[in-house]
C-alpha cells in the first residue's frame, strides 16, 4: 500500500471494498475478520438469510478445533466469546469396533500430557461458533455483510473484480474470495474444475446426553460401514458423527427417537452409562471434492470451496482456518510492501503455502476411510497391529498429537496466536 506507483493507480480506482467474499458460512466471516485486523475492508455475501443462519437448528455439527485454530481465534479476539461453551479435548482413543462387541483390545491412546502446549483442541458447537462470527462481523466497521443475496456472476480486469447478485446489483473489489463450499460456483465460474467422489456414506450427527462424565476424552470407533466418533461437549454431553451407508443412514434417520437410540446403543457401548438425545438429529452425505487450483485472475478459494474432505479426522474446518491464516498473512505482507494484493505473484504465494497440506490431508483422510471402513479380516489385523505399534512408540505418538493439535509445519502468525 505504501508503494507510490500503486497508490496513484489505486487512488484512481473506487471499490466497494478490498475483498469480495462469496459465502458467509464459517470460513467467509472468519476470513473477513482476519483481513480486517490488517485494515482490509470486506463485503461478505451469503445466499442464506441471517435469522436462518442464527437459529439453533441450522447446523447440528460440533467442531473439533485444533489447538492452533483456537490460538487463531484468540489472536482475532474471538475466543473469549466462545470459551464458556468450549470443551477441552484432553485424550483421544482410537480403536476398531463392531456393533454389540465394544472396542477391540488394540487401540491408540493420545494423551495431551505428552505435549507441553495444553489440550489438543476444543469441541465447539456450530451454533456458538457461527453466532460468534456473525456478531463480530456485524460489529466490525470494515465489514459489510449482505445476507439473502446470491452471487450469479463475476468478472475482473487488470485493476478490479466485480460480482453480480441475483437482484442485478453489482459489487466491486480488488480480490474475489470463494468461500462458497464444496459446490463452489465461484470456482466453476472461474474455470477451476473439481475432482472427487462420493464415499457412499452418510454421517448421522446429533448431541447425546449421558449419565457418566467423559473426562474430555474423544473416542473414534472404526465400524465396518464407517467410523463412529464420540466427541466430548460441555457437561455430560457428547456429539456423535456416525457414518453408515447412504441407504442404512436414511433408514436409521427415519426411525423414531427411541428406535434411533436403540440402534445406536450397541455401537456406542455403555461406558458412559445410559444415553439420550440432547437435541435435533442431522444427516450429512460424505464426499471428497477438491478444486484443481486455489487461484485464478483476482480470485482465491478458501475452505470447502478449495477442499471438501471426509470428516474422519475432524480436520475440514481446521484446514479452512489454515487457508485463512495463510491468505491473510500473504495479503498483509504484500500490502505492506506496496504490492497489489490480487496480483498473480501474490496469489501464487498463497497457493504454494497451502498446496502440500491440502493434498496430504485429502490423501490421508481418503486412505484412512478406505482402510478402516470395512470388515476385511486381513486389513483388520493389519490396522490393529499398526495401532498397537504406534501406541507403543512414544515419539510417533507425540508426532500424531502435535499433528492433531495443528502445531506442525510452517505456521502462519495467526495460528501461533500472534496478530497479523
Ligand atoms: C459430519 C461432519 C463433521 C465435521 N466435523 C468437523 C470437525 O470436527 N472439525 C473440523 O475441522 N471440520 C469438520 N467438518 C468440516 C466442516 O464442517 C467444513 O469444513 C466447514 O463447515 C466448511 O465451511 P465453509 O464456510 O468453507 O463452507 P460452507 O459451510 O459450505 O458455507 C458455504 C456458504 O456459501 C454460501 N453460498 C454458496 N453459494 C453461494 C452463492 N452463489 N452466493 C452467495 N452465497 C453462497 C452458502 O449459503 C453457505 O453459507 C465436518 C464436516 C462434516 C460433514
Amino acid at each position: 500500500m505504501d508503494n507510490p506507483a500503486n497508490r496513484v493507480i489505486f487512488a484512481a480506482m473506487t471499490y466497494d471494498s478490498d475483498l469480495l467474499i462469496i459465502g458467509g458460512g464459517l470460513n467467509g466471516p472468519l476470513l473477513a475478520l482476519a483481513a480486517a485486523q490488517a485494515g482490509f475492508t470486506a463485503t461478505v455475501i451469503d445466499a442464506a438469510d441471517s435469522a436462518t443462519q442464527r437459529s439453533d437448528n441450522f447446523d447440528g455439527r460440533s467442531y473439533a478445533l485444533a489447538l492452533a485454530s483456537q490460538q487463531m481465534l484468540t489472536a482475532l479476539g474471538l475466543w473469549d466469546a466462545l470459551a464458556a461453551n468450549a470443551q477441552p479435548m484432553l485424550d483421544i482413543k482410537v480403536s476398531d469396533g463392531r456393533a454389540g462387541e465394544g472396542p477391540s483390545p488394540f487401540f491408540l491412546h493420545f494423551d495431551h500430557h505428552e505435549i507441553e502446549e495444553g489440550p489438543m483442541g476444543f469441541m465447539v458447537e456450530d451454533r456458538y461458533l457461527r453466532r460468534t462470527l456473525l456478531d463480530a462481523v456485524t460489529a466490525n466497521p470494515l465489514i459489510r455483510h449482505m445476507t439473502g443475496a446470491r452471487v450469479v456472476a463475476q468478472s475482473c480486469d487488470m485493476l478490479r473484480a466485480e460480482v453480480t447478485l441475483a437482484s442485478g446489483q453489482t459489487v466491486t473489489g480488488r480480490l474475489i474470495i470463494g468461500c462458497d463450499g464444496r459446490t463452489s460456483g465461484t470456482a466453476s465460474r472461474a474455470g477451476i474444475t473439481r475432482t472427487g467422489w462420493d464415499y457412499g456414506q452418510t454421517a448421522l450427527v446429533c448431541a447425546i446426553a449421558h449419565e457418566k462424565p467423559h473426562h474430555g476424552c474423544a473416542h473414534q470407533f472404526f465400524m465396518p460401514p464407517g467410523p463412529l466418533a464420540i466427541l466430548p461437549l460441555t457437561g455430560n454431553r457428547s456429539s456423535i458423527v456416525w457414518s453408515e451407508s447412504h441407504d442404512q443412514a436414511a433408514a436409521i434417520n427415519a426411525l423414531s427417537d427411541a428406535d434411533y437410540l436403540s440402534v445406536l446403543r450397541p455401537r456406542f457401548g455403555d461406558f458412559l452409562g445410559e444415553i439420550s438425545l440432547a437435541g435435533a438429529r442431522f444427516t450429512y452425505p460424505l464426499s471428497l471434492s477438491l478444486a484443481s487450483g486455489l487461484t485464478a485472475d483476482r480470485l482465491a478459494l478458501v475452505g470447502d470451496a478449495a477442499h471438501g474432505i471426509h470428516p474422519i479426522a475432524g480436520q475440514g474446518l481446521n484446514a479452512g482456518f489454515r487457508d485463512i491464516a495463510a491468505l491473510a498473512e500473504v495479503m498483509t505482507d504484500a500490502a505492506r510492501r506496496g504490492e497489489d494484493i490480487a496480483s498473480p505473484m501474490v496469489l501464487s504465494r498463497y497457493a504454494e503455502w497451502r498446496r502440500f497440506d491440502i493434498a496430504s490431508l485429502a490423501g490421508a483422510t481418503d486412505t484412512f476411510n478406505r482402510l478402516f471402513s470395512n470388515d476385511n479380516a486381513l486389513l483388520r489385523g493389519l490396522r490393529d497391529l499398526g495401532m498397537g505399534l504406534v501406541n507403543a512408540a512414544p515419539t510417533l505418538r507425540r508426532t500424531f498429537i502435535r499433528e492433531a493439535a495443528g502445531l506442525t509445519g510452517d505456521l502462519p502468525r495467526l495460528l501461533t496466536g500472534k496478530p497479523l
Side-chain angles (χ1 to χ4, degrees), residues 290-309:
L290 290 178
S292 58
L294 290 185
T295 62
D297 291 344
R298 290 199 172 272
L299 182 144
L301 300 178
V302 156
D304 278 19
H307 43 75
I309 59 170

Side-chain angles (χ1 to χ4, degrees), residues 22-29 45-48 53 58-59 61-66 69 123 126 130 149-152 165 179-186 189 203-205 231 241 284-286 302-305 307-311 313-320:
I22 306 178
L26 296 174
N27 283 307
I45 307 167
D46 201 279
Q53 281 189 312
F58 178 67
D59 195 318
R61 284 174 282 196
S62 297
Y63 306 106
L65 293 182
S69 297
M123 284 302 301
D126 180 277
R130 199 173 291 270
R150 179 170 292 281
V151 172
V152 292
L165 309 182
C179 294
D180 46 351
R182 49 180 69 211
T183 56
S184 172
T186 311
R189 284 188 293 270
L204 297 144
V205 173
L231 307 158
V241 182
Y284 300 86
L286 304 181
V302 156
D304 278 19
H307 43 75
I309 59 170
H310 196 287
Q315 284 295 328
L317 187 57
N318 290 300

